[in-house]
């Protein structure tokens, strides 16, 4: 950008009619040069008054961001698009980036309908579980019986693990819920050597006094078995477990998630469990038996089926899966 020099003036010489030797000369010394016009002095005074004002106006325009030559966004130049982003927070860039979205700023009170609500997301398994199979075999009390601490989970035929899938979807879901103003906690974030065990996963939600807990999984059934299903808790009052008070709310949560998940992803309920409803009730899962807050599991698809695996390995589809879960959770919390 070009700027006026320290001694230049944007409007040229003050008096273009004045000769170069007019200063320091006087007509009283008998000079035979033509006498000055009677109008010359008033014009000079007027110009002297106008020029500083014009200069000040120009400086003010530049200070307020007037465009300069080239519009390069430098001092005084236009800053086109300042503060704008090509992608909204939490949305995948054009082309279907696999990376989960991130929240760039907390929502304002006016756009935080879930403010004060606590959601716990339970990403099934742990990417490091495969290195700790001995520890995972420890038995824990799940109320109805004793069961292993955790498992390694399943994977697609190409090696994409359930633990990787669940953690990715959990991150996407967290971003979406935080945009709504919710406080979101994860039972694990790939930040521990293994686990946690199923009983600890339940305690994390209970201790947080969560308004809703969702445990994210993908199934490892036979090829040809396709679709998602949501697992609801059966009433259990045995051993360390008593979930009777939250069975009803958990079923409400599960039904809403199933409906919104199907709509958002365009996928169908399971064709191998649930009789086409996408809902299954179980009493053999410690995470549900031991929960004292509303909680469901969702099996997002079958990793061992090639068609389902193509969906589960797509970042675009995982974003849709997180969106469906988020909408179901939001609907549940709005009614609670």
């Amino acid at each position: 950008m070009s700027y006026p020099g320290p001694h230049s003036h944007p409007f040229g010489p003050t008096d273009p009619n004045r000769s170069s030797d007019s200063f320091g000369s006087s007509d009283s010394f008998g000079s035979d040069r033509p006498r000055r016009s009677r109008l010359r002095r008033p014009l000079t005074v007027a110009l002297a008054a106008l020029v500083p004002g014009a200069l000040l106006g120009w400086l003010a325009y530049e200070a307020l961001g007037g465009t300069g030559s080239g519009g390069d966004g430098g001092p005084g130049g236009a800053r086109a698009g300042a503060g704008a982003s090509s992608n909204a927070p939490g949305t995948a860039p054009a082309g279907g980036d696999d990376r989960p979205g991130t929240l760039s700023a907390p929502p304002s009170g006016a756009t935080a309908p879930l403010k004060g609500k606590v959601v716990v997301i339970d990403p099934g398994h742990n990417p490091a579980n495969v290195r700790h199979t001995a520890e995972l075999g420890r038995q824990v009390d799940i109320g109805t019986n004793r069961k292993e601490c955790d498992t390694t989970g399943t994977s697609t035929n190409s090696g994409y693990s359930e633990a990787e899938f669940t953690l990715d979807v959990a991150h996407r879901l967290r971003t979406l819920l935080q945009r709504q103003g919710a406080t979101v906690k994860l039972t694990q974030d790939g930040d521990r050597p293994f686990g946690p065990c199923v009983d600890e996963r339940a305690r994390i939600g209970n201790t947080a006094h969560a308004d809703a807990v969702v445990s994210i999984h993908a199934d490892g059934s036979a090829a040809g078995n396709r679709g998602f299903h949501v697992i609801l808790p059966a009433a259990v009052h045995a051993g360390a477990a008593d979930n009777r008070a939250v069975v009803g709310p958990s079923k409400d949560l599960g039904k809403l998630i199933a409906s919104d998940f199907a709509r958002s992803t365009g996928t169908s309920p399971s064709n191998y469990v649930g009789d086409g409803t996408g809902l299954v009730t179980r009493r053999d899962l410690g995470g549900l038996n031991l929960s004292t807050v509303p909680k469901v599991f969702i099996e997002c698809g079958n990793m061992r089926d090639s068609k389902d695996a193509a969906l589960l390995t797509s970042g675009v589809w995982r974003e849709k899966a997180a969106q469906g879960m988020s909408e179901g959770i939001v609907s549940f919390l709005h009614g609670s």
Side-chain angles (χ1 to χ4, degrees), residues 203-220:
R203 280 198 301 274
I204 291 170
N206 298 342
T207 302
H209 303 289
D211 296 286
V213 183
V214 176
S215 190
I216 303 172
H217 292 264
D219 213 353

Side-chain angles (χ1 to χ4, degrees), residues 103-276:
L103 185 70
S104 60
S108 67
T111 59
L114 297 187
K115 185 176 181 181
K117 299 292 186 180
V118 177
V119 178
V120 170
I121 304 172
D122 180 25
H125 314 290
N126 182 322
N129 274 2
V130 293
R131 297 191 294 273
H132 296 273
T133 54
E135 293 93 331
L136 297 180
R138 179 173 66 85
Q139 299 287 298
V140 298
D141 183 3
I142 67 167
T144 53
N145 60 292
R146 296 183 70 81
K147 198 170 184 178
E148 63 268 24
C149 158
D150 199 4
T151 68
T152 59
T154 188
S155 67
T156 66
N157 293 330
S158 63
Y160 180 58
S161 74
E162 180 184 3
E164 292 177 84
F165 168 81
T166 63
L167 201 54
D168 179 272
V169 175
H171 289 161
R172 297 173 189 271
L173 179 56
R174 175 175 61 187
T175 296
L176 293 170
L177 292 171
Q178 285 177 332
R179 282 188 191 166
Q180 299 286 326
T183 297
V184 182
K185 301 178 183 295
L186 270 60
T187 57
Q188 61 91 11
D189 198 3
D191 53 355
R192 50 188 297 159
F194 67 93
C197 296
V198 294
D199 57 342
E200 185 182 351
R201 289 174 185 268
R203 280 198 301 274
I204 291 170
N206 298 342
T207 302
H209 303 289
D211 296 286
V213 183
V214 176
S215 190
I216 303 172
H217 292 264
D219 213 353
S221 187
N225 291 343
R226 296 197 61 195
F228 73 91
H229 62 278
V230 177
I231 304 174
L232 312 175
V236 172
H237 184 206
D242 185 2
N243 66 359
R244 293 174 295 175
V246 297
V247 166
S250 296
K251 289 183 177 180
D252 293 338
L253 171 63
K255 289 177 181 178
L256 290 167
I257 288 178
S259 175
D260 286 323
F261 187 88
R263 181 190 49 74
S264 178
T265 62
T267 52
S268 300
S270 169
N271 63 5
Y272 59 99
V273 292
D275 297 323

